[in-house]
Amino acid sequence: MEALLPVLKSHPGLSVLVCSLLFRVAHQLLQRLPVPKAVQQDAFRSWKWKNLSVSMVHSLLTGTWALTCNIHKYHTPLSYLLICVSTGYFVQDAGDIILTGHARGSWEFLLHHAMVIWCFLYALYTQLYIAGALIALFVEVNSVTLHLRLMLKLADFQSSSMYHINKFANLFTYVLFRLSTQFYLTWYIIHNYSWLDHGEYFFVTMMVMNIMIVIYFYRLLRADFFPRSKSYVGQNGTHNNNTKKFLSD
């Protein structure tokens, strides 16, 4: 692994591209797996399921990886490689959204991906803030339950015991791994703003991320713990023209 680090540092852009292509290969392989009937019958759900399947692989991989890395060192070969891998995923996912014609309906994801990609690329090219990028990937632990939640909704399993258990696990990991991580990174940037290179860019990026995360948390609480009438849910679950709205919560 030590021998790999100089290669990665010499060609960070190429390393990210290779990782992106590997996630694209994973995307193709995952299409061979069986999917629920409700997903097969709707074009948007079918695309979303494929997209989320790759996202789930990324979250399981990078979330576990981030928790096992040593954040007390400047950076290690494993942590640098992790940022390369994660950046490659976000490039692949942004490309999938754009090239399949879902950019307009997924603009918030593209905005999120753009901010993550530029921050991670900055870290890779300058070899600064690797530990910060590593800590930011703690949120992927929560992404596992977020992706599972959406996949269960795609399959019309909102009434299942698995969905019920996952919504509490999702709430717990959202607070512990997403909100707490964002709070710490925001505090760190503000506390050390005077000496951080390009601190103003990271501060603005973090503020935009914070707004997005709080809004999504509100939507998550409203949808899973303070739902609207059953007729509304049923309508959204059965009519194709409301599928995107149904899955946005």
Side-chain angles (χ1 to χ4, degrees):
M1 186 58 67
E2 292 288 345
L4 180 62
L5 187 59
V7 178
L8 296 174
K9 289 183 175 180
S10 300
H11 308 283
L14 180 60
S15 301
V16 168
L17 179 60
V18 170
C19 293
S20 180
L21 291 175
L22 289 175
F23 274 108
R24 196 61 194 172
V25 172
H27 180 277
Q28 296 300 317
L29 293 176
L30 289 169
Q31 292 189 35
R32 300 181 182 181
L33 298 178
V35 299
K37 186 176 180 180
V39 174
Q40 297 176 353
Q41 296 174 344
D42 184 275
F44 176 76
R45 290 186 184 216
S46 180
W47 168 77
K48 192 66 177 177
W49 181 274
K50 297 173 186 176
N51 181 270
L52 283 172
S53 297
V54 181
S55 299
M56 180 66 85
V57 170
H58 169 258
S59 295
L60 287 169
L61 174 65
T62 60
T64 305
W65 193 342
L67 291 177
T68 59
C69 283
N70 187 345
I71 63 174
H72 299 291
K73 291 186 177 182
Y74 172 61
H75 67 261
T76 64
L78 276 176
S79 61
Y80 192 90
L81 178 59
L82 171 58
I83 306 307
C84 287
V85 170
S86 191
T87 308
Y89 159 74
F90 285 111
V91 170
Q92 185 278 146
D93 195 56
D96 182 57
I97 292 172
I98 294 171
L99 296 177
T100 54
H102 294 94
R104 184 176 181 180
S106 305
W107 67 268
E108 66 271 30
F109 293 104
L110 290 177
L111 175 61
H112 169 270
H113 288 8
M115 291 188 293
V116 171
I117 290 169
W118 99 257
C119 287
F120 281 11
L121 284 178
Y122 181 93
L124 291 173
Y125 274 98
T126 64
Q127 298 172 32
L128 299 173
Y129 311 136
I130 297 295
L134 177 64
I135 292 173
L137 285 173
F138 286 2
V139 303
E140 293 302 326
V141 176
N142 169 245
S143 292
V144 172
T145 55
L146 275 178
H147 297 329
L148 179 58
R149 173 183 178 272
L150 279 178
M151 294 180 84
L152 290 171
K153 291 186 73 173
L154 285 169
D156 285 339
F157 287 165
Q158 301 96 298
S159 300
S160 67
S161 58
M162 181 179 291
Y163 188 94
H164 182 73
I165 294 171
N166 183 73
K167 75 177 183 179
F168 288 100
N170 189 35
L171 179 63
F172 175 75
T173 57
Y174 203 105
V175 173
L176 183 62
F177 289 101
R178 191 171 295 272
L179 292 179
S180 297
T181 297
Q182 287 293 126
F183 175 80
Y184 172 77
L185 291 174
T186 302
W187 171 85
Y188 185 88
I189 291 174
I190 294 174
H191 188 70
N192 300 280
Y193 182 81
S194 60
W195 62 267
L196 289 177
D197 291 335
H198 298 97
E200 64 276 12
Y201 297 112
F202 289 102
F203 177 77
V204 171
T205 299
M206 191 58 60
M207 289 300 104
V208 174
M209 287 265 198
N210 288 343
I211 292 171
M212 294 175 67
I213 285 177
V214 170
I215 291 175
Y216 193 80
F217 188 54
Y218 162 75
R219 289 165 56 186
L220 186 68
L221 290 175
R222 184 192 65 188
D224 278 355
F225 296 95
F226 306 99
R228 301 180 186 181
S229 64
K230 292 184 178 180
S231 60
Y232 174 85
V233 174
Q235 182 182 23
N236 279 319
T238 56
H239 291 286
N240 290 339
N241 61 335
N242 285 324
T243 299
K244 295 183 182 180
K245 176 65 177 68
F246 167 59
L247 292 171
S248 66
D249 289 332

